[in-house]
Amino acid sequence: MDLKRLYYFSQLAKTGNFTKAADQLGIAQSALSTSIKKLEQQLELKLINRTERQMSLTAEGQVLLRHTKIILEDVEQAEKELQELKGLTSGAINFGAPAMLASYYLPDALEQFKKSYPGIQINVHEAGTATLAQMLVNGELDLALIRGDREHEQIRHTLLAQDQIAACVPTNHEFAARSHITLEEFCQQPLVLFKNGYFLRETINTYCQQNKVQPNIHFETNLPELLKSMVRRKIGIGTCLPILVANDPQLKAIPFDPPIPLQLGIGWKSSHYLSTAAKAFVSFLQGTLRDQQHD
């Protein structure tokens, strides 16, 4: 089977639409349609149910898609291993990180890594930790910052840093003079929270579900600076890592009691080849975050 046709087939299955798939592939829709027809002719099987408005995979198409994903992943891993023979002079790392962690933890590590390996391209993808873990499993990322306190049968990880989740409040809020607050007290306030899928939201969701509490959410975002702005404007209080507000004179981080620890790890798919470039990047992150915690 032709690898290009399999790749086209996988993109079509992913989008569910000939026009969208052709646009993403950068080819004409007629070329995509011809490629799929030739694949069907080669296999002597119908792979696609075609209608005017949408397409779907046949049962045979579903079987081929399952194998196609494995084949394309194997080809990608082979290319990475062969790239290693050229040394760390070129290549790319697809790296995932939540927006807050990317903004506050990564700049130093990224700068140092690029100085040491200027030929290695780092493509940063922003999403919540739950989404990033799934992207690793799907083979969309080489590395990602994920929760280090959770085991996943398809992901290996190494611990990078430990911190505590805190409440983010204005300095003139009633909680600002407290040494700590409870989650019960927190959830009784108007809230500005990160969106579902982000680790700073997961603890709140779990507490509310276990205690049958309906949180009073006034605003949701995945942008750290916007969350801080909403808290300053007294729209509500939120959650944060202390580093997020360390240099902000208008905001304060108040620890929870009992404490809510965060273990930050960097993960990769256990069945994937971890390139020398990726290993070097993991080492840079470990060193940089360790130094930051000791400052």
Side-chain angles (χ1 to χ4, degrees), residues 112-157:
Q112 292 177 38
F113 187 82
K114 289 300 291 181
K115 285 180 179 178
S116 298
Y117 303 109
I120 302 297
Q121 179 182 345
I122 301 177
N123 304 315
V124 180
H125 304 262
E126 189 280 321
T129 49
T131 299
L132 293 173
Q134 189 58 52
M135 291 175 73
L136 285 175
V137 172
N138 294 343
E140 299 172 56
L141 297 174
D142 301 308
L143 298 167
L145 294 182
I146 58 174
R147 295 279 296 268
D149 57 346
R150 294 187 176 179
E151 296 297 326
H152 196 298
E153 61 181 10
Q154 297 185 64
I155 295 176
R156 294 180 61 192
H157 74 269

Side-chain angles (χ1 to χ4, degrees), residues 17 26 39 42 70 73 91 109 167 180 217-218 224 260 264 279 294:
N17 182 280
L39 182 59
Q42 181 184 11
I70 297 172
E73 277 194 15
H180 58 264
I217 302 173
H218 283 214
I260 305 176
L264 177 64
K279 291 176 183 176
H294 292 163

